[in-house]
Amino acid sequence: MKKLATAIAITAALAAAATHQYLHASTDPQQSDLQSKLHVMEKTLSETRQDLLGYTTFTQYLEVTKKAISGRTKFLAARIDRNYVHVEHINRSALGIKSDATIILNYAVEYSVGYDLSPESFSVSGDATGITVTLKKPELVASPAIGAISHEIPGKGLLIDEKELVIALQQQLTTAAEKQGHAISMEEAVIALCERKLGEFLRDFLAKQPNVRAVPMITFAYR
């Protein structure tokens, strides 16, 4: 940006000098040569100014950019996959008979973590130095999806109903996954992933707008 501004200043000075020479050289045989140089300098100045404008034009599209991402919370969410092992010790007794077992449950959970992108929940501002997105920290934007469940029971007593145990434990997984999901959404690596996903969308959208030559650095500020 500084380089372009300097180029404009230099080109403008040269153009002014050439114009001055041209106005005082009406009888000079080199008049046509000076006029040609003046036109070249004026063209260069115009192109440089246009080039500089291309680096700040993005600010005209910040409002439309906000509208483009509003309500797209799930679409712009980051997907986090985690695998878990749950170990449950079971103790049963009946009619003086004691029975115990250990059940090992393996399962996978898919989390969707993203930002609240309702219009009133975030803002997008910027100038020539950069763009700032102000919003709340990432959160779960959908219920955790549980899949790939398998289990094993190394030793099972007489009073242990394997099917009943597995069904009962599976019903507890959603609650456990919700708690794990809230903790996951606060991890620094997950926050960085959410920023990258939203930042990439923002940068791509702005870059496609008319006359935008460059999109500056995008930073995130949390309320």
Side-chain angles (χ1 to χ4, degrees), residues 78 80 82 84 111-115 136-141 177-195 222-223:
I80 312 296
R82 296 286 170 89
Y84 299 100
Y111 299 96
S112 291
V113 181
Y115 296 107
K136 300 174 185 176
K137 284 196 172 183
E139 58 187 18
L140 286 179
V141 298
E178 289 278 359
K179 292 180 180 179
Q180 292 159 341
H182 291 303
I184 287 171
S185 68
M186 294 186 287
E187 294 178 5
E188 291 298 324
V190 173
I191 293 174
L193 182 59
C194 291
E195 289 181 355
Y222 295 105
R223 294 170 179 164

Side-chain angles (χ1 to χ4, degrees), residues 3 10 41 56 63 74 78 101 122 125 129 148 156 175 195 202 207:
K3 186 181 294 185
I10 294 173
M41 289 181 180
T56 57
E63 189 61 32
K74 291 185 179 180
F122 75 103
S125 60
T129 62
K156 182 175 65 173
T175 301
E195 289 181 355
L202 257 170

Side-chain angles (χ1 to χ4, degrees), residues 123-168:
S123 63
V124 182
S125 60
D127 54 30
T129 62
I131 296 172
T132 300
V133 183
T134 304
L135 69 182
K136 300 174 185 176
K137 284 196 172 183
E139 58 187 18
L140 286 179
V141 298
S143 296
I146 299 172
I149 299 175
S150 64
H151 72 276
E152 57 180 300
I153 302 179
K156 182 175 65 173
L158 296 174
L159 302 176
I160 303 300
D161 186 326
E162 179 178 337
K163 184 177 180 180
E164 177 188 345
L165 283 176
V166 172
I167 291 175

Side-chain angles (χ1 to χ4, degrees), residues 14 33 35 38 55-56 76 81 106 114 141 148 175-176 196 204:
L14 291 173
D33 182 52
Q35 184 176 12
L38 176 60
Y55 285 85
T56 57
L76 294 174
D81 294 311
N106 298 279
V141 298
T175 301
R196 187 178 70 183
D204 183 65

